Amino acid sequence: WLDETFGECRLLPTDDRRWSVLRDVALADGILEAGSVVRQECLRPAALRSDAAISRECERIHSALAAFEKSANDLDGPLTLSHLTLACALVWLRFRLPEIEWTAKRPRVANTVRGLLARKSLSRTDPRKA
């Protein structure tokens, strides 16, 4: 809808960048999915909690972050859907699972997210400010 309504800066490019954007959206979605599993497991009573599931999903999160760190140059350039999805995933992760510390090991991703969160459109929707 945004691309069709305000098409001058496409969130989902139609050129060769489209595939890297879609890859990054899938990676960020994976972070959210894995984080949701960790959060749900952590909310369960200790006797029912699966440490193996928590460990497995944390590994998924760190693997996706490693992929973002490796391809951080793909995040340079105009704002796309991958930027928004990544920012949302990592703000959610920091908000709901602050014990998963990732910024020190992923400085390029952290720098990208800091830049994104400095944008007025994103800073106004930060859940920590609600």
Side-chain angles (χ1 to χ4, degrees):
W1 179 84
L2 291 173
D3 282 346
E4 295 300 319
T5 305
F6 306 102
E8 70 272 359
C9 179
R10 296 189 62 85
L11 292 175
L12 187 55
T14 56
D15 59 14
D16 291 343
R17 294 177 305 135
R18 177 183 184 87
W19 301 112
S20 63
V21 168
L22 290 172
R23 177 203 61 217
D24 290 349
V25 168
L27 283 171
D29 283 345
I31 291 170
L32 284 168
E33 181 181 304
S36 294
V37 172
V38 172
R39 173 102 170 117
Q40 291 301 315
E41 282 299 317
C42 289
L43 293 174
R44 296 177 78 183
L48 300 176
R49 194 172 300 145
S50 171
D51 291 335
I54 292 171
S55 178
R56 181 180 58 246
E57 299 305 318
C58 285
E59 181 56 38
R60 284 181 62 202
I61 291 168
H62 289 293
S63 292
L65 287 167
F68 274 115
E69 187 73 13
K70 184 177 179 181
S71 66
N73 290 341
D74 290 348
L75 295 171
D76 293 342
L79 184 73
T80 66
L81 188 58
S82 59
H83 294 97
L84 297 176
T85 310
L86 177 62
C88 290
L90 296 182
V91 167
W92 181 88
L93 191 66
R94 187 173 56 203
F95 182 63
R96 292 294 181 196
L97 296 168
E99 63 274 14
I100 299 180
E101 175 51 46
W102 57 270
T103 55
K105 292 182 180 180
R106 310 292 179 220
R108 295 170 73 193
V109 175
N111 189 47
T112 296
V113 171
R114 268 192 299 279
L116 290 168
L117 294 178
R119 296 174 65 97
K120 188 176 181 181
S121 57
L122 285 170
S123 68
R124 291 189 341 215
T125 60
D126 189 334
R128 297 167 300 149
K129 297 179 181 178

